[in-house]
């Protein structure tokens, strides 16, 4: 690793620990380092590169925009770049799905969107409590951290345990329907659960170990929220933008959240976050929730660029075929190592292979890195290999990446 990274930044704090290389260029699903080695990317910037590195639409639009001196930053004044993004989002995403939402741009990163949604729910309901779920991950700033389940991220000194109750996510108690617990606690005023302002959930928990909520569970939670006038917030920061096969991860359940948080891939590789708000629930007053970087124009340009993928009617089928390839390969691995009791979870193009041990997963990740594949883990003990290639990855490259992963697993199991 570079001595400046060790001396001035840190070689243990971030991903330098996992991927000890100095990356330099990247196209599509391949990155190169300064030593000329190339790597297939199944890590995908933790879900922020669904459309690949230097996506062709985003790159062309950005080059053009910079060439003609498009406004780069102007706080949240109206710009042509913003209008073009809104037009693309409305025409390609909201209208075809029959969705009616207003957009609030919230800042550069996912946690900004979560904070805004929680504040809005609290303001509207005049209640402060929020229900989140076991293994949830919603960010690391103090408000969103309070919703994040994993105790590793908490400290009693952060004051981050305010007004939040974590209840069991779907599947957390095996086959038991955990929505019944929420139902009972809401109905029984001696349950100790204050009536919440909001329930926040990921339909597939990305950092929590690729835990997939069933459509029926999501519908039951949505209907409890409606019944009790609780805002339902879907955090689609990691699994929105086509990751589960549709643009929004909640589409197939047929629910309509009150607020939807989007970030990561929405910016086409640049920092951007937003909250979708049901129109009748948008009662922010001027200046009530602000921030300097609410919607950067370069991000709008890249974001409108990558939305072009959704003009292609076969884009969802492409995601499905890639997901199927990953699923089949992983199922083969599970069959081969039946005694190890690996578990396979996922949907669309986000798959988790639970290898039951953080030590084993880190050895596999290291072995894959040495062979030219970037992959990371998730779950409460980092025991789940997270397979999350770009939605646009070419099938032969996907196959090659899966072969490297298999080899890395075989080596560790030998
Ligand atoms: N919500 C979810 C579901 C996430 O996966 C993440 C990031 N991993 C966040 C929120 C926080 O986003 P950011 O790191 O950009 O603040």
């Amino acid at each position: 690793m570079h001595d400046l990274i060790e001396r001035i930044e840190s070689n243990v704090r971030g991903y330098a620990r996992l991927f000890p290389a100095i990356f330099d260029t990247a196209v599509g699903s391949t990155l190169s380092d300064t030593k000329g080695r190339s790597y297939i990317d199944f890590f995908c910037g933790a879900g922020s590169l669904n459309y690949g590195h230097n996506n062709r639409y985003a790159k062309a639009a950005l080059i053009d925009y910079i060439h003609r001196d498009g406004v780069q930053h102007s706080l949240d004044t109206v710009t042509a770049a913003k209008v073009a993004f809104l037009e693309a989002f409305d025409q390609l995403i909201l209208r075809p799905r029959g969705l009616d939402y207003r957009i609030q741009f919230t800042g550069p990163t996912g946690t900004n969107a979560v904070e805004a949604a929680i504040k809005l729910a609290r303001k509207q309901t005049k209640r402060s409590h929020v229900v989140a779920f076991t293994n949830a991950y919603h960010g690391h700033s103090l408000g969103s951290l309070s919703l994040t389940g994993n105790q590793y991220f908490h400290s009693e000194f952060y004051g981050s345990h305010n007004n939040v109750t974590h209840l069991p996510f779907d599947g957390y108690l095996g086959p038991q329907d955990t929505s019944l617990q929420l139902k009972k606690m809401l109905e029984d005023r001696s349950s100790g659960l204050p009536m919440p302002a909001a329930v926040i959930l990921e339909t597939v928990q990305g950092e929590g170990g690729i835990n997939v909520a069933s459509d029926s569970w999501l519908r039951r939670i949505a209907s409890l929220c409606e019944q009790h006038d609780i805002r339902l917030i879907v955090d689609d920061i990691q699994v929105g933008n086509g990751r589960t096969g549709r643009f929004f991860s909640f589409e197939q359940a047929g629910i309509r959240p009150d607020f939807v948080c989007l970030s990561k891939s929405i910016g086409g590789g640049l920092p951007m976050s937003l909250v979708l708000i049901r129109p009748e629930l948008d009662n922010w007053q001027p200046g009530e929730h602000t921030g300097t970087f609410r919607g950067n124009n370069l991000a709008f340009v890249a974001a409108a660029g990558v939305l072009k993928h959704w003009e292609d009617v076969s884009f969802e089928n492409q995601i499905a075929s890639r997901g199927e390839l990953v699923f089949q390969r992983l199922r083969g691995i599970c069959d081969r190592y039946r005694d190890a009791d690996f578990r396979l979870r996922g949907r669309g193009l986000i798959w988790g292979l639970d290898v039951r041990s953080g030590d084993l997963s880190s050895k596999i990740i290291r072995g894959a890195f040495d062979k030219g594949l970037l992959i990371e883990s998730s779950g409460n003990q980092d025991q789940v290999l997270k397979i999350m290639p770009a939605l646009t990855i070419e099938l032969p490259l996907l196959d090659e990446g899966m072969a490297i992963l298999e080899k890395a697993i075989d080596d560790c199991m030998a």
Side-chain angles (χ1 to χ4, degrees), residues 46 108-112 114 136-141 144 148 202 204-207 235-239 261 263-264 272-273 386:
T109 195
T111 191
N112 301 141
V114 173
Y137 187 97
H138 298 290
H140 275 189
S141 59
S144 66
T148 292
E202 303 150 88
V204 178
Q205 295 181 321
E207 303 305 327
D235 177 345
D236 242 0
I237 288 168
Q238 183 153 167
V239 298
C261 300
S263 184
K264 296 199 189 263
M272 177 163 154
S273 76
K386 194 204 246 187

Side-chain angles (χ1 to χ4, degrees), residues 32-99:
S32 301
D33 69 14
T34 47
K35 292 190 172 144
R37 283 197 69 198
S38 66
Y39 305 82
I40 300 173
D41 189 1
F42 278 13
F43 157 56
C44 216
S48 53
L49 291 157
N50 282 8
Y51 308 98
H53 294 268
N54 276 303
N55 176 277
R56 65 183 197 280
Y57 296 126
K59 182 175 166 178
L62 283 168
I63 290 172
D64 175 62
Y65 191 75
I66 290 172
H67 259 297
R68 60 185 187 82
D69 287 327
V71 174
Q72 290 200 345
H73 180 60
S74 56
L75 234 150
D76 74 340
T77 56
V78 180
T79 60
K82 178 190 272 193
V83 172
F85 168 74
L86 289 174
E87 241 166 47
F89 194 76
D90 190 40
Q91 276 173 29
L92 295 168
I93 306 300
L94 294 180
R95 278 169 192 251
R97 290 165 182 76
L99 294 172

